[in-house]
Amino acid sequence: MTGKFMTIDNIPIELTGEEKNLLEVIRRTGIELPTFCYYSELSVYGACRMCMVEDDRGNIHAACSTPPKAGMTIYTNTSRLRKYRRNILELLLANHCRDCTTCEKSSDCKLQQLAQRFHITGVRFPNAQTKPDPDCSSPCISIDHSKCILCGDCVRMCNEVQHVGAIDFAYRGANMVVSPAFGRPMAESGCVGCGQCAAVCPTGAIVVKNEISKLWAAIYDSTKKVAVQVAPAVRVGIGEEFGMSASQPVMGKIVTALKMLGADYVFDTSLTADLTIMEESAEFMNKLKTGAKLPMFTSCCPGWVRFLKSQYPEYTDCLSTAKSPQQMFGAVAKSYFAAQKGLDPHKVFVVSIMPCSAKKAESELPTMRDACGDPDVDVVLTT
């Protein structure tokens, strides 16, 4: 054989020179090495130790932080490693809320999946976790420290990718938690509501706030007409969740499903995205003519708007004054559309199905209401 090779579980693997660590090489072979704290787009943290491997000399290494070298011989699933991983899982479960049947992430929780994979049918240690005291102050996400395994994924995502820095580790040792600065509630932090912390959280410690019950209440209310708008990105996201290719159209399936659930009307948010483009274009042309401050930034994304106002407040007056497509749809549905259909606008219940949790906070802004105080959008569901 020519080239540089290493051996993984008795299989010779050629190194390309582009692998940053052993974990990448191992996964390229099709071996699914368990991890909690590893994401390729984030810095290496090496906290969970689930990815430990054993070399031919009996030494163990963290695969996420060990660079591959030609001539290495490693094993990923020895008896010693399996016992090691089971012990880690038991210790995590001993300090974890075990209300799995009612947890928001049940059946989609990595801790639950790995406990099943390694056949953890009982925990030898007493449960040291205190009673759950979730922080539900944010309109976008909820945090439950009793389910946190301190993997650091959310902290690194917020700091390294989103560059917001709303959360970090606080305190030390057994008292360590993930929290906004000075223990403030999430609603009082610099959080922009993007929900990326919830997207990488392997357990139910950080989840997008669930408002499905509000939708069911509206559907069961015979006096209300439920109008649902679906964002373009949702079509792809829902298709992928059900194993469909990104090119396969699923909007028809979504409309059918929503109608069967009880929705009265279903729209595509692309309708008001076009209106937003027209409004922002007119505003930009007016700024050019009047010599107003430039550049002009879009106001379509509430996460971006919150980020700009908190991180770069000097540019706040550069934001477009146009509503986002989501909010513009709500306003149109409860005015023009209601008039066209002869409906009482106060009885039109607008539901948004969006890919971003920041839309939840946007719908609750006091500026996103009509003259009577009714919200443009009543409920936002996040995919």
Side-chain angles (χ1 to χ4, degrees), residues 339-355:
Q340 290 291 104
K341 291 291 185 179
L343 303 173
D344 180 353
H346 301 295
K347 296 297 183 180
V348 176
F349 191 86
V350 175
V351 180
S352 297
I353 302 181
M354 295 283 147

Side-chain angles (χ1 to χ4, degrees), residues 275-330:
L275 297 181
T276 303
I277 291 171
M278 293 165 64
E279 287 296 320
E280 288 187 340
S281 298
E283 183 178 5
F284 179 68
M285 293 305 296
N286 184 62
K287 281 179 173 282
L288 282 178
K289 291 177 182 178
T290 59
K293 184 178 179 180
L294 293 173
M296 189 185 89
F297 298 123
T298 183
S299 55
C300 286
C301 171
W304 152 248
V305 170
R306 179 77 183 268
F307 178 80
L308 185 78
K309 288 182 176 180
S310 63
Q311 305 292 327
Y312 302 95
E314 65 272 20
Y315 290 112
T316 299
D317 55 354
C318 291
L319 284 166
S320 169
T321 59
K323 289 185 176 182
S324 70
Q326 167 182 268
Q327 298 304 133
M328 202 171 288
F329 173 83

